[in-house]
Amino acid sequence: MHGPNPSWREQLLSELQNLRENALQRSLSSASHEGRFIHVSARRLLNLSSNDYLAFASEPAIIEAGIQALKSLGTGAGASRLVTGHTPAHAQCEAAFAYLKHAEAALVFPTGYMANLGVITALAGPDDLIISDKANHASLLDAARFTGATHRVFPHANYEKLERLLENADAKKPRRTLIVTDSVFSMDGDTADLPRLADLAQRHDAILIVDEAHATGVLGASGAGLCELQNVTDKVHVVISTASKALGCAGGIVTASQLIVDTLINKARPFIYTTGLPPAVASMITQALDLVRTQPQRRLRLHDLSERARREIDALNRFPRVTSQGPVTPIIPIIVRTAENALALARHLSAHNIHAPAIRPPTVAPGASRVRISLRCDLHDDDITQLVNALKSWAV
Ligand SMILES: Cc1ncc(COP(=O)(O)O)c(C=O)c1O
């Protein structure tokens, strides 16, 4: 016999209890940052879990640009961009982004998540087809669901499967087809094959949308990202970047043709119905872009650290390989399968004065739990030695 339905409070408690029992419960812990260190639970640990790849979040020139802009422009945009929230600071930031990306135009959203939501929902509707790599960022997958379009997901980097989906689509004739991919995949640190995707997009008349969140400022001769490194800048139709990672600030930036940007200004609800990014943040982004241009040594150092760490982790012969033929990125997954193992490895690293939390489902697939190392350019050589020694001494 069934009793009455549990109350909504009982349901929520039981859902959280379930997460706890499966080592999947998440909680916030307050942390303060000091360059490459992080202060958590009254301890000062090496921070190997930050997306501040170029150490820009504490860069005096960027902080100063923010202070000056706060003094002259105030704290908030005061309205949505289309009402009165569009300031010269936004215009300057967009011009600087378009210049870096060799794009006709740029548009700044308050976050990368919102930029992804805005792009996909403005470009696709119920008559369209969206094809996504399974390992794409959650914001891209969420966005596709919001559109009402037919959404097909291909196994990570399986471009044969993508091609078959495109061939099927040609027969069904959707109004538009979007191919959506991360450039650097946020959990695995591997990269898309953009020339191949650009070729498929061209052959099937699809819009190619690339999320460069983890590549802008990090990859490419001028820091423009994987499109630059793989020489496809003029073949990718829409690029999304975030200022929250290598640029050390916040904000999502779309670079594309004027046609696409005009479409977003008119149709992207996460752009239209939200207050503009605080103008001081736009000024900080512009300053960060200036440093991306004038300080290439930061991304070169990051590259060297990433290459060395990958090589030495593989030499331990304990974890799935992290060196590959593809471009070297600062995201290094240490895959230990179960959520319990990932939590144990994170605790072990913490005992060795390293902060790198466990990443568990649903962020990654069941059985693919990991500790995700992300490196920053201000790490010392000894820091990599500390990491490799800590991994070496881990006993499962
Ligand atoms: C690939 C990718 N795209 C988009 C985002 C969202 O960017 P933001 O943090 O600026 O919202 C993230 C991370 O948060 C990401 O890793």
Side-chain angles (χ1 to χ4, degrees):
M1 261 213 344
H2 296 288
N5 274 344
S7 72
W8 63 265
R9 281 191 185 79
E10 286 165 337
Q11 291 166 16
L12 296 184
L13 281 169
S14 131
E15 285 166 22
L16 286 177
Q17 171 74 13
N18 204 5
L19 289 174
R20 219 169 6 254
E21 282 164 7
N22 289 294
L24 295 176
Q25 194 185 22
R26 301 164 183 228
S27 62
L28 289 171
S29 55
S30 158
S32 49
H33 299 264
E34 178 203 338
R36 66 196 218 283
F37 294 102
I38 184 166
H39 294 258
V40 266
S41 311
R43 294 179 64 212
R44 181 177 182 262
L45 306 174
L46 187 63
N47 186 359
L48 295 187
S49 192
S50 156
N51 299 318
D52 184 16
Y53 300 119
L54 301 179
F56 276 177
S58 51
E59 166 55 42
I62 301 176
I63 295 171
E64 188 54 31
I67 292 170
Q68 291 311 321
L70 279 170
K71 285 184 174 160
S72 60
L73 302 169
T75 52
S80 69
R81 295 278 302 282
L82 284 166
V83 179
T84 53
H86 180 52
T87 70
H90 294 96
Q92 217 181 350
C93 170
E94 285 166 349
F97 238 100
Y99 180 79
L100 172 74
K101 297 279 186 175
H102 296 280
E104 243 174 54
L107 194 68
V108 176
F109 289 66
T111 69
Y113 191 108
M114 292 172 77
N116 280 345
L117 219 55
V119 165
I120 307 286
T121 54
L123 296 180
D127 297 333
D128 301 318
L129 170 67
I130 302 175
I131 313 185
S132 307
D133 187 301
K134 189 169 196 314
N136 279 354
H137 189 255
S139 53
L140 293 168
L141 299 168
D142 291 353
R145 284 187 208 115
F146 285 162
T147 60
T150 302
H151 186 206
R152 298 273 177 263
V153 176
F154 59 94
H156 178 45
N158 184 338
Y159 300 133
E160 285 80 28
K161 176 74 180 166
L162 166 63
E163 189 160 10
R164 284 200 296 281
L165 291 171
L166 285 164
E167 281 159 6
N168 285 346
D170 288 344
K172 291 192 181 130
K173 298 206 186 321
R175 184 184 61 157
R176 285 198 281 272
T177 300
L178 278 51
I179 301 174
V180 186
T181 186
D182 283 8
S183 70
V184 171
F185 288 87
S186 54
M187 288 301 133
D188 289 314
D190 59 339
T191 51
D193 181 348
L194 296 180
R196 183 141 178 214
L197 290 172
D199 176 57
L200 287 172
Q202 201 216 338
R203 282 199 279 128
H204 296 272
D205 192 26
I207 304 178
L208 178 57
I209 299 172
V210 176
D211 179 344
E212 292 257 50
H214 292 275
T216 296
V218 173
L219 297 181
S222 71
L226 188 69
C227 292
E228 178 182 41
L229 186 69
Q230 295 187 337
N231 208 10
V232 290
T233 301
D234 54 348
K235 300 191 176 80
V236 175
H237 304 106
V238 188
V239 171
I240 300 129
S241 301
T242 173
S244 64
K245 303 191 191 295
L247 303 184
C249 302
I253 302 93
V254 180
T255 40
S257 63
Q258 192 65 55
L259 170 66
I260 297 236
V261 167
D262 287 345
T263 304
L264 298 180
I265 291 171
N266 285 278
K267 293 181 69 180
R269 295 168 67 88
F271 176 80
I272 299 170
Y273 297 107
T274 195
T275 298
L277 186 76
V281 180
S283 295
M284 291 192 290
I285 298 173
T286 307
Q287 180 61 51
L289 290 178
D290 203 50
L291 297 185
V292 165
R293 189 173 52 79
T294 56
Q295 300 190 352
Q297 66 274 19
R298 291 194 193 232
R299 59 183 165 275
L300 295 175
R301 169 74 179 158
L302 182 63
H303 176 275
D304 290 351
L305 286 166
S306 307
E307 202 166 51
R308 180 188 151 204
R310 285 171 184 275
R311 197 174 352 99
E312 295 189 11
I313 291 169
D314 275 350
L316 296 176
N317 242 329
R318 305 201 57 185
F319 307 101
R321 281 183 72 77
V322 291
T323 49
S324 74
Q325 301 299 329
V328 175
T329 76
I331 301 171
I332 308 178
I334 311 292
I335 298 175
V336 290
R337 297 194 312 279
T338 66
E340 288 81 2
N341 281 349
L343 289 170
L345 178 55
R347 278 195 300 273
H348 174 79
L349 291 175
S350 176
H352 287 75
N353 297 318
I354 291 170
H355 183 70
I359 309 278
R360 297 162 283 164
T363 307
V364 293
S369 290
R370 66 197 60 196
V371 164
R372 171 185 177 273
I373 302 293
S374 52
L375 303 178
R376 31 188 300 140
C377 71
D378 58 350
L379 290 173
H380 296 183
D381 290 340
D382 285 353
D383 299 335
I384 303 296
T385 309
Q386 183 182 337
L387 167 67
V388 173
N389 285 341
L391 290 173
K392 193 182 204 166
S393 65
W394 188 54
V396 188

